[in-house]
């Protein structure tokens, strides 16, 4: 009996030391991990080489789509909207992004399934199975 008590006490005493640290990203909410500017680098539909497409996620649920023609032949198009980050669940293992933006002709939106999300890369899939890959745009203010 004393052996079991000693083992139990030792186990309790060392349990915190043996526990793995919580990864930094898991401490942040999904919204916090999304906040920033993301540039599309790949799409199942192909990326038009003369355009740059970015999504800006802002704290509090605001978002902006920006399409820029690199030749400046077509004016930059900006579409503002809202997003809600859905934390991981059984259907969306890494979470989801429920978004809506206002564009000429009306409002559009969907719930996109996150397939990958790191500090520098995000891949999501729309309800029709279209996959798009984005890279985080570095904050020039932080680089200085």
């Amino acid at each position: 009996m004393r052996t079991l008590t000693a083992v139990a006490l030792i186990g309790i005493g060392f349990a915190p030391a043996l526990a793995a640290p919580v990864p930094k990203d898991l401490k942040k909410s999904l919204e916090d991990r999304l906040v920033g500017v993301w540039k599309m680098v790949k799409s199942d539909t192909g990326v038009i080489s003369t355009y740059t497409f970015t999504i800006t996620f802002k704290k509090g649920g605001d978002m902006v789509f920006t399409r820029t023609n690199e030749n400046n032949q077509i004016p930059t198009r900006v579409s503002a909207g809202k997003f809600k980050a859905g934390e991981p669940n059984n259907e969306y293992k890494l979470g989801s992004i429920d978004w809506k933006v206002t564009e000429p002709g009306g409002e559009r939106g969907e719930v996109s399934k996150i397939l990958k999300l790191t500090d520098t890369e995000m891949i999501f899939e729309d309800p029709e199975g279209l996959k798009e890959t984005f890279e985080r745009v570095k904050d020039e203010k932080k680089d200085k």
Side-chain angles (χ1 to χ4, degrees):
M1 182 70 169
R2 277 190 256 172
T3 304
L4 288 175
T5 304
V7 170
L9 290 174
I10 290 171
I12 291 169
F14 288 109
L18 297 175
V22 176
K24 182 179 173 184
D25 280 347
L26 292 180
K27 293 179 184 177
K28 292 182 175 181
S29 70
L30 180 57
E31 179 181 319
D32 288 339
R33 293 177 63 206
L34 289 170
V35 168
V37 180
W38 297 87
K39 177 183 175 183
M40 182 187 290
V41 294
K42 182 179 175 186
S43 173
D44 285 352
T45 62
V47 176
I48 301 171
S49 62
T50 59
Y51 279 91
T52 300
F53 176 73
T54 61
I55 300 175
T56 303
F57 294 107
K58 299 177 182 180
K59 186 79 174 155
D62 289 329
M63 68 179 295
V64 177
F65 284 178
T66 306
R67 295 163 202 82
T68 306
N69 179 274
E70 294 173 4
N71 298 328
N72 295 321
Q73 296 172 344
I74 301 171
T76 296
R77 196 166 104 196
V78 178
S79 303
K82 295 280 188 185
F83 80 97
K84 182 177 181 185
E87 293 293 333
N89 60 35
N90 288 337
E91 184 178 1
Y92 301 107
K93 301 294 183 201
L94 298 178
S96 62
I97 307 167
D98 184 352
W99 61 268
K100 286 185 176 53
V101 294
T102 302
E103 297 187 324
E107 187 176 81
R108 72 179 185 104
E110 63 192 27
V111 177
S112 298
K113 179 180 186 178
I114 298 172
L115 302 177
K116 181 178 184 179
L117 180 59
T118 67
D119 286 343
T120 58
E121 184 180 23
M122 172 176 58
I123 302 173
F124 60 76
E125 179 180 43
D126 75 6
E128 287 79 42
L130 174 78
K131 294 179 183 86
E132 295 178 331
T133 302
F134 293 81
E135 289 180 352
R136 187 180 297 273
V137 176
K138 289 185 180 182
D139 185 353
E140 293 178 16
K141 294 176 192 171
K142 290 181 181 177
D143 291 344
K144 291 182 181 179

